[in-house]
């Protein structure tokens, strides 16, 4: 069969490959410590599940508007006004099948062949693939551990060309956990306005912050940057709703209309009753979000302390999300070899940094229990010691 040329350009997900291998080992009864999860290990809070159950009982089981249930679009706009100081109305919001689908649709609606998208590296592995699938060109900007993996305004300015259309900003970041300070966001916003770029702010981890870190949505900096901002967010990470597949984009109406047209010919509306769960998430108590955040904070501390006590690996202290991005250069191994050997010999699963554009690192998720973290760090230490550090 001759497949479309675009398929050959897509890189298969390394995250899924290693996770699948670890899962298969676990199913065989092997005691695997899995640090691969890109999702909270908690169940969805009960008031959210109950709202979806009620919606099912009330017959919210039919097709709905492609852009989302009006009540959810309104609740999202209210949340963006209240929490993020962004002046959106319901018409500025489209509900999507998760944050991933938001960004995929966005690239389809925005990019023409040859348009350039600036992506700070390390990056979430789906960004470049989405850009490629829309015919665009990714322009990676390397960041360093010493600068907490954040790009500077000067670096951004340097990479802008007449073809630059969009900057992707992801704070808190997957895979590094880096959080841009409000000052850093303001400095990047200046360049966005000066160079007349669009910026998509992927804020899916906005509620998972530590040590007093503050999340500033770039569109809140000024009306000039607000006009150029697209906010991408979802319910998966904050509310432990990864399987529900509900996300959203907020943006100028023209873009929302374009994305709705694409969505109406692809997925149509997001699962109707799931959207009622999402409404309950936004309108209910945020205590559940805070409880999960506190659990992540404790795990982060334990993992970080254990990890930084191992000679030969290092990791800056991240202020958000639930990942540690660990520098393994001193072992002399490439990240995929490191992860395969770690899984085969010590039964510890991690994601190779090459998937995120950094072959000298691996990503460890601490969205797992403390016992596994303690055990996994002991095994990791044994593994790293073999490499003479
Ligand atoms: N953005 C980032 C940075 C992510 O890490 C993820 C999930 O891993 C997403 C977006 C998409 O999340 P979802 O499609 O589950 O809402």
């Amino acid at each position: 069969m001759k497949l479309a040329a675009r398929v050959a350009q897509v890189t298969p997900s390394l995250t899924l490959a290693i996770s699948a291998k670890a899962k298969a080992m676990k199913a065989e009864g092997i005691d695997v410590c899995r640090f691969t999860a890109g999702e909270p290990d908690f169940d969805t809070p009960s008031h959210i599940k109950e709202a979806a159950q009620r919606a099912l009982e009330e017959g919210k089981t039919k097709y709905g508007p492609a852009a989302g249930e009006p009540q959810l679009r309104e609740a999202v706009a209210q949340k963006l006004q209240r929490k993020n100081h962004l002046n959106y109305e319901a018409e500025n919001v489209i509900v999507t099948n998760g944050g991933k689908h938001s960004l995929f649709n966005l690239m389809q609606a925005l990019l023409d062949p040859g348009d350039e998208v600036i992506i700070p590296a390390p990056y979430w592995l789906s960004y470049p693939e989405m850009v490629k699938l829309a015919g665009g060109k990714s322009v990676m900007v390397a960041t360093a551990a010493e600068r907490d993996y954040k790009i500077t305004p000067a670096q951004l300015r340097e990479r802008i060309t007449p073809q630059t259309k969009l900057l992707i900003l992801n704070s808190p970041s997957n895979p590094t956990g880096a959080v841009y300070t409000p000052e850093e966001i303001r400095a990047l916003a200046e360049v966005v306005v000066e160079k007349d770029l669009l910026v998509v702010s992927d804020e899916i981890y906005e509620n998972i912050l530590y040590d007093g870190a503050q999340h500033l949505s770039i569109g809140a900096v000024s009306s000039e940057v607000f006009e150029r901002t697209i906010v991408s967010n979802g319910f998966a990470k904050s509310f432990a709703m990864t399987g529900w597949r509900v996300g959203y984009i907020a943006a100028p109406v023209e873009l929302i209309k374009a994305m709705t047209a694409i969505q109406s010919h692809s997925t149509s509306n997001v699962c109707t009753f799931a959207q009622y769960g999402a409404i309950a998430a936004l309108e209910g108590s945020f205590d559940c979000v805070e409880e999960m955040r506190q659990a992540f904070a404790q795990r982060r501390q334990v993992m970080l302390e254990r990890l930084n006590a191992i000679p030969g690996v290092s990791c800056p202290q991240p202020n958000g999300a639930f990942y540690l991005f660990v520098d393994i250069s001193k072992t002399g191994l490439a990240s995929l070899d490191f992860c395969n050997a770690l899984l085969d010999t010590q039964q510890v699963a991690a994601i190779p940094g090459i998937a995120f554009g950094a072959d000298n690192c691996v990503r460890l998720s601490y969205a797992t229990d403390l016992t596994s973290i303690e055990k996994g760090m002991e095994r990791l230490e044994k593994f790293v010691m073999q490499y003479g550090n």
Side-chain angles (χ1 to χ4, degrees), residues 38 97-101 103 124 127 170 172-174 202 204-205 232-237 241-242 245-247 323 363:
N97 285 279
K100 188 178 270 185
H101 185 226
L103 293 158
W124 182 44
Y127 297 144
N170 173 218
S173 150
N174 175 10
D202 180 350
I204 198 128
Y205 296 97
S232 180
N233 207 329
F235 295 83
K237 318 286 179 176
M241 290 172 68
T242 44
R245 310 312 302 136
V246 192
Y323 309 107
R363 190 192 75 178

Side-chain angles (χ1 to χ4, degrees), residues 88 103 106 110 118 156 165-170 185 188-189 192-193 196-203 217-219 224-232 250-252 255:
Y88 289 119
L103 293 158
L106 172 71
L110 214 52
I118 296 183
L156 173 58
K165 180 108 189 218
L166 181 70
L167 161 69
I168 301 182
L169 205 56
N170 173 218
I185 292 283
L188 291 174
V192 168
V193 174
D196 195 18
L197 306 181
L198 291 170
V199 53
V200 57
S201 181
D202 180 350
E203 306 186 356
S217 190
I218 190 164
E224 288 83 5
V225 73
F226 178 69
E227 286 162 19
R228 294 169 172 82
T229 298
I230 297 138
V231 177
S232 180
L255 180 56

Side-chain angles (χ1 to χ4, degrees), residues 63 89 99 101 224 237-238 275 291 295 306 324 353 362 370 385:
Y63 287 138
E89 304 294 336
H101 185 226
E224 288 83 5
K237 318 286 179 176
S238 293
Q275 293 187 61
E291 275 163 31
R306 294 294 306 262
L324 297 186
V362 298
L370 279 171
M385 294 309 255

Side-chain angles (χ1 to χ4, degrees), residues 22-42:
K23 241 183 211 166
M25 287 168 73
K26 192 124 194 162
E28 276 173 39
I30 301 169
D31 174 25
V32 183
C33 295
R34 282 189 288 171
F35 302 122
T36 45
E39 60 184 344
D41 51 328
F42 303 104

